[in-house]
């Protein structure tokens, strides 16, 4: 999988116990590279081994923003699913618009799945943010 992904450095840098957000030789950050390059299988491997999908680039870009630029639907969906499960806030309107535009010309099933996933994420975020009623003693 690592060889097939086109990973430009030694494979042991992607071992399960590696720090996927560590800056390597030449400034390359494995998680950032996988998101930006749309490497879904490599991203899945990193997520399964504890990659921090909340990481930001030096310029402040999120992993989701990097994945959008890749144009790779599966990579974006892997990130969204992981962000949702970690309780990340739903994306701001500008980012939702970028997501929608990035995949507006794709397969209708992909567009529909993205729209439903964004609605689910918003619902989950609202539920998490709303105060829970106290139980009577």
């Amino acid at each position: 999988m690592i060889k097939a992904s086109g990973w430009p450095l030694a494979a042991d840098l992607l071992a399960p116990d590696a720090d996927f957000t560590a800056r390597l030789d030449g400034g390359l950050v494995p998680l950032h590279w996988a998101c930006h390059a749309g490497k879904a299988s490599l991203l899945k491997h990193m997520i399964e081994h504890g990659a921090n999908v909340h990481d930001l680039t030096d310029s402040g870009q999120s992993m989701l923003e990097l994945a959008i630029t890749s144009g790779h639907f599966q990579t974006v969906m892997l990130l969204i699913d992981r962000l949702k499960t970690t309780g990340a806030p739903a994306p701001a309107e500008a980012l939702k618009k970028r997501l929608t535009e990035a995949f507006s010309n794709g397969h209708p099933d992909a567009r529909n799945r993205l729209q439903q996933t964004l609605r689910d994420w918003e619902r989950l975020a609202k539920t998490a943010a709303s105060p829970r009623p106290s139980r009577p003693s």
Side-chain angles (χ1 to χ4, degrees):
M1 170 209 43
I2 293 171
K3 192 173 191 176
S5 74
W7 173 245
L9 299 176
D12 64 334
L13 295 170
L14 298 176
D17 61 344
D19 178 359
F20 302 119
T21 56
R23 189 168 304 286
L24 305 175
D25 291 341
L28 185 64
V29 178
L31 180 62
H32 301 185
W33 180 83
C35 291
H36 188 265
K39 303 296 184 177
S41 61
L42 195 52
L43 176 62
K44 183 178 181 202
H45 165 78
M46 291 177 183
I47 288 172
E48 288 172 348
H49 292 95
N52 177 12
V53 295
H54 300 276
D55 194 40
L56 300 174
T57 65
D58 291 343
S59 63
Q61 281 190 300
S62 69
M63 297 304 99
L64 186 53
E65 289 172 301
L66 289 176
I68 292 169
T69 62
S70 78
H72 191 262
F73 184 75
Q74 188 178 3
T75 301
V76 167
M77 294 306 293
L78 278 168
L79 278 169
I80 289 174
D81 288 343
R82 184 65 182 154
L83 288 165
K84 282 178 13 184
T85 62
T86 60
E93 287 304 315
L95 189 53
K96 283 196 296 189
K97 184 178 179 182
R98 280 188 60 205
L99 279 162
T100 302
E101 288 173 355
F103 300 104
S104 64
N105 294 324
H107 192 279
D109 289 346
R111 289 192 316 260
N112 292 340
R113 180 174 173 217
L114 176 63
Q115 292 305 315
Q116 184 60 50
T117 299
L118 291 173
R119 284 191 296 270
D120 289 347
W121 192 358
E122 247 181 57
R123 181 186 48 78
L124 288 170
K126 284 179 185 175
T127 302
S130 65
R132 303 198 186 257
S134 60
R135 297 169 96 182
S137 303

